[in-house]
Amino acid sequence: DTDISAVEVCEGEEVTLSAVSTNGGTVTWDGGVVDGEAFTPPVGLNTYNATSDHGDDCEFTIDILVNPTPDVTLTVTSEELCEDESVIFSAGGADSYTFDPIDVVDGVAYTPGALGTMTYTVTGTTGDCENTASVDVTLNSVPVVTASVSEDEICLYETVVFTSGGDADSYEWDPIDIVDGAPYTPTEGAFVATVTGITQK
Protein backbone atom coordinates (compact mmCIF):
# COMPACT_ATOMS: atom_id res chain seq x y z
CA ASP A 1 0.00 0.00 0.00
CA THR A 2 1.54 3.34 -1.04
CA ASP A 3 0.91 7.02 -0.41
CA ILE A 4 2.48 9.65 -2.69
CA SER A 5 2.11 13.38 -2.03
CA ALA A 6 2.57 14.29 -5.72
CA VAL A 7 3.90 12.78 -8.95
CA GLU A 8 4.58 16.12 -10.67
CA VAL A 9 6.01 19.10 -8.85
CA CYS A 10 8.04 22.25 -9.44
CA GLU A 11 11.71 22.70 -8.68
CA GLY A 12 12.31 23.15 -4.96
CA GLU A 13 9.02 21.59 -3.85
CA GLU A 14 9.01 18.69 -1.43
CA VAL A 15 7.61 15.21 -2.01
CA THR A 16 6.76 12.51 0.52
CA LEU A 17 6.74 8.80 -0.35
CA SER A 18 5.17 6.26 1.98
CA ALA A 19 4.72 2.52 1.50
CA VAL A 20 3.36 -0.15 3.84
CA SER A 21 3.83 -3.89 3.43
CA THR A 22 0.51 -5.72 3.66
CA ASN A 23 2.50 -8.72 4.86
CA GLY A 24 4.24 -6.96 7.72
CA GLY A 25 7.55 -6.45 5.96
CA THR A 26 9.86 -3.46 6.26
CA VAL A 27 9.80 -1.17 3.22
CA THR A 28 12.94 0.53 1.97
CA TRP A 29 13.22 3.19 -0.77
CA ASP A 30 16.27 3.66 -2.94
CA GLY A 31 17.88 6.98 -3.82
CA GLY A 32 18.31 7.96 -0.19
CA VAL A 33 14.55 8.42 0.31
CA VAL A 34 13.29 7.80 3.84
CA ASP A 35 9.77 6.40 3.98
CA GLY A 36 7.30 9.01 5.18
CA GLU A 37 9.83 11.87 5.24
CA ALA A 38 9.62 14.85 2.90
CA PHE A 39 12.50 15.38 0.47
CA THR A 40 13.27 17.63 -2.49
CA PRO A 41 13.88 15.69 -5.71
CA PRO A 42 16.09 17.17 -8.45
CA VAL A 43 14.79 18.61 -11.72
CA GLY A 44 13.83 15.99 -14.29
CA LEU A 45 12.17 12.59 -14.26
CA ASN A 46 13.12 10.71 -11.11
CA THR A 47 12.37 7.02 -10.56
CA TYR A 48 12.14 5.65 -7.04
CA ASN A 49 11.86 1.97 -6.11
CA ALA A 50 10.40 0.57 -2.91
CA THR A 51 11.35 -2.92 -1.78
CA SER A 52 10.26 -5.02 1.17
CA ASP A 53 12.15 -7.57 3.18
CA HIS A 54 9.08 -9.83 3.06
CA GLY A 55 9.24 -12.37 0.26
CA ASP A 56 5.55 -12.08 -0.63
CA ASP A 57 5.75 -8.31 -1.31
CA CYS A 58 6.32 -6.97 -4.80
CA GLU A 59 8.72 -4.20 -5.71
CA PHE A 60 7.01 -0.86 -6.29
CA THR A 61 8.24 1.87 -8.67
CA ILE A 62 7.10 5.49 -8.89
CA ASP A 63 8.16 8.26 -11.28
CA ILE A 64 8.32 11.84 -9.99
CA LEU A 65 8.54 14.60 -12.61
CA VAL A 66 10.16 17.78 -11.36
CA ASN A 67 9.66 20.78 -13.66
CA PRO A 68 12.21 23.62 -13.51
CA THR A 69 11.06 26.98 -12.22
CA PRO A 70 11.34 29.69 -14.89
CA ASP A 71 14.37 31.97 -14.74
CA VAL A 72 12.40 35.20 -14.51
CA THR A 73 14.05 38.56 -15.22
CA LEU A 74 12.81 42.13 -14.85
CA THR A 75 14.43 45.23 -16.32
CA VAL A 76 13.35 48.88 -16.46
CA THR A 77 14.42 51.66 -18.81
CA SER A 78 15.49 53.86 -15.88
CA GLU A 79 15.79 53.10 -12.18
CA GLU A 80 15.65 56.79 -11.28
CA LEU A 81 13.41 59.47 -12.77
CA CYS A 82 11.57 62.71 -12.08
CA GLU A 83 7.89 63.39 -11.54
CA ASP A 84 5.67 62.83 -14.58
CA GLU A 85 8.38 60.86 -16.40
CA SER A 86 7.61 57.35 -17.59
CA VAL A 87 9.51 54.08 -17.63
CA ILE A 88 8.97 50.74 -19.37
CA PHE A 89 9.25 47.45 -17.53
CA SER A 90 10.30 44.35 -19.47
CA ALA A 91 9.91 40.84 -18.09
CA GLY A 92 11.49 37.70 -19.49
CA GLY A 93 12.08 34.02 -18.89
CA ALA A 94 8.49 32.75 -18.52
CA ASP A 95 5.31 32.26 -20.55
CA SER A 96 3.06 34.70 -18.66
CA TYR A 97 3.56 37.50 -16.14
CA THR A 98 1.72 39.20 -13.31
CA PHE A 99 3.02 42.50 -11.96
CA ASP A 100 2.83 44.08 -8.54
CA PRO A 101 1.55 46.82 -8.65
CA ILE A 102 -1.07 45.31 -10.95
CA ASP A 103 -1.37 48.43 -13.15
CA VAL A 104 2.11 47.81 -14.59
CA VAL A 105 1.94 46.23 -18.06
CA ASP A 106 4.92 44.52 -19.66
CA GLY A 107 6.44 46.69 -22.40
CA VAL A 108 4.01 49.60 -21.91
CA ALA A 109 5.04 53.06 -20.65
CA TYR A 110 4.26 53.47 -16.95
CA THR A 111 4.27 56.66 -14.86
CA PRO A 112 4.92 56.08 -11.14
CA GLY A 113 2.67 58.06 -8.84
CA ALA A 114 4.44 58.12 -5.48
CA LEU A 115 7.69 59.92 -4.67
CA GLY A 116 10.52 57.87 -3.24
CA THR A 117 11.79 54.38 -3.93
CA MET A 118 9.35 51.59 -4.72
CA THR A 119 9.95 47.92 -5.42
CA TYR A 120 8.24 46.51 -8.52
CA THR A 121 7.83 42.74 -8.70
CA VAL A 122 6.86 40.41 -11.52
CA THR A 123 5.75 36.80 -11.13
CA GLY A 124 6.50 34.71 -14.19
CA THR A 125 4.67 31.44 -14.80
CA THR A 126 5.53 28.54 -17.09
CA GLY A 127 3.17 25.60 -16.82
CA ASP A 128 2.40 25.22 -13.12
CA CYS A 129 5.74 26.63 -11.98
CA GLU A 130 6.47 30.24 -11.14
CA ASN A 131 9.28 32.48 -10.01
CA THR A 132 9.68 36.19 -9.25
CA ALA A 133 12.02 39.07 -10.02
CA SER A 134 12.11 42.61 -8.64
CA VAL A 135 13.57 46.01 -9.41
CA ASP A 136 13.62 49.27 -7.42
CA VAL A 137 12.59 52.55 -9.06
CA THR A 138 13.13 55.94 -7.42
CA LEU A 139 10.83 58.87 -8.28
CA ASN A 140 12.30 62.30 -7.50
CA SER A 141 10.34 65.52 -7.10
CA VAL A 142 10.69 68.33 -9.63
CA PRO A 143 12.59 71.26 -8.07
CA VAL A 144 10.95 74.62 -7.39
CA VAL A 145 12.61 77.28 -9.56
CA THR A 146 12.21 81.06 -9.49
CA ALA A 147 13.72 83.78 -11.69
CA SER A 148 13.89 87.52 -11.19
CA VAL A 149 15.50 90.51 -12.90
CA SER A 150 16.64 93.79 -11.39
CA GLU A 151 14.61 95.79 -13.96
CA ASP A 152 12.15 94.63 -16.58
CA GLU A 153 12.48 97.71 -18.81
CA ILE A 154 15.73 99.48 -19.64
CA CYS A 155 17.38 101.59 -22.32
CA LEU A 156 19.70 100.18 -24.98
CA TYR A 157 23.16 99.28 -23.61
CA GLU A 158 22.03 99.40 -20.00
CA THR A 159 22.55 96.32 -17.85
CA VAL A 160 20.32 94.22 -15.64
CA VAL A 161 20.98 91.45 -13.14
CA PHE A 162 19.24 88.10 -13.40
CA THR A 163 18.82 86.04 -10.24
CA SER A 164 17.68 82.46 -9.92
CA GLY A 165 16.25 80.78 -6.85
CA GLY A 166 14.45 77.72 -5.55
CA ASP A 167 15.53 74.34 -4.24
CA ALA A 168 17.44 73.03 -7.26
CA ASP A 169 21.06 71.90 -7.04
CA SER A 170 22.17 73.99 -10.01
CA TYR A 171 20.77 76.44 -12.55
CA GLU A 172 21.35 76.97 -16.26
CA TRP A 173 20.36 80.15 -18.09
CA ASP A 174 19.24 80.58 -21.67
CA PRO A 175 20.99 82.52 -23.24
CA ILE A 176 23.97 80.66 -21.81
CA ASP A 177 26.10 83.79 -21.39
CA ILE A 178 23.89 85.01 -18.53
CA VAL A 179 25.67 84.63 -15.20
CA ASP A 180 23.49 84.50 -12.12
CA GLY A 181 23.90 87.74 -10.13
CA ALA A 182 26.23 89.42 -12.65
CA PRO A 183 25.42 92.48 -14.83
CA TYR A 184 24.10 91.53 -18.26
CA THR A 185 23.35 93.63 -21.33
CA PRO A 186 20.29 92.33 -23.21
CA THR A 187 19.78 92.80 -26.94
CA GLU A 188 17.42 95.43 -28.24
CA GLY A 189 13.69 94.68 -28.15
CA ALA A 190 11.72 92.23 -26.08
CA PHE A 191 14.16 89.89 -24.40
CA VAL A 192 13.30 86.58 -22.76
CA ALA A 193 15.67 84.84 -20.36
CA THR A 194 14.90 81.34 -19.11
CA VAL A 195 16.44 79.53 -16.20
CA THR A 196 16.33 75.77 -15.70
CA GLY A 197 16.84 74.30 -12.25
CA ILE A 198 18.48 70.89 -12.04
CA THR A 199 18.31 68.52 -9.10
CA GLN A 200 20.81 65.66 -9.15
CA LYS A 201 19.12 62.25 -9.17
Side-chain angles (χ1 to χ4, degrees), residues 60-83:
F60 178 78
T61 299
I62 182 69
D63 289 331
I64 305 294
L65 178 62
V66 181
N67 296 307
T69 57
D71 185 15
V72 178
T73 60
L74 180 61
T75 59
V76 64
T77 50
S78 177
E79 294 183 4
E80 196 161 359
L81 65 159
C82 298
E83 286 179 278

Side-chain angles (χ1 to χ4, degrees), residues 9-160:
V9 295
C10 295
E11 181 180 2
E13 293 181 346
E14 292 185 333
V15 174
T16 302
L17 302 179
S18 297
V20 177
S21 169
T22 56
N23 298 300
T26 300
V27 175
T28 303
W29 292 91
D30 65 2
V33 175
V34 178
D35 192 77
E37 291 188 9
F39 68 101
T40 305
V43 172
L45 183 63
N46 301 276
T47 300
Y48 298 97
N49 300 298
T51 56
S52 172
D53 60 2
H54 195 286
D56 292 334
D57 289 333
C58 297
E59 183 175 317
F60 178 78
T61 299
I62 182 69
D63 289 331
I64 305 294
L65 178 62
V66 181
N67 296 307
T69 57
D71 185 15
V72 178
T73 60
L74 180 61
T75 59
V76 64
T77 50
S78 177
E79 294 183 4
E80 196 161 359
L81 65 159
C82 298
E83 286 179 278
D84 299 325
E85 291 182 342
S86 297
V87 292
I88 296 177
F89 293 92
S90 299
D95 292 337
S96 62
Y97 305 96
T98 302
F99 283 85
D100 180 19
I102 59 173
D103 56 341
V104 175
V105 178
D106 188 45
V108 177
Y110 176 80
T111 304
L115 295 176
T117 300
M118 184 171 179
T119 299
Y120 294 82
T121 302
V122 65
T123 299
T125 304
T126 298
D128 292 327
C129 301
E130 63 182 32
N131 205 351
T132 62
S134 299
V135 64
D136 289 339
V137 174
T138 301
L139 182 64
N140 298 303
S141 61
V142 174
V144 174
V145 178
T146 61
S148 61
V149 63
S150 56
E151 294 181 71
D152 57 12
E153 188 170 350
I154 59 173
C155 296
L156 188 62
Y157 305 122
E158 289 184 341
T159 61
V160 293

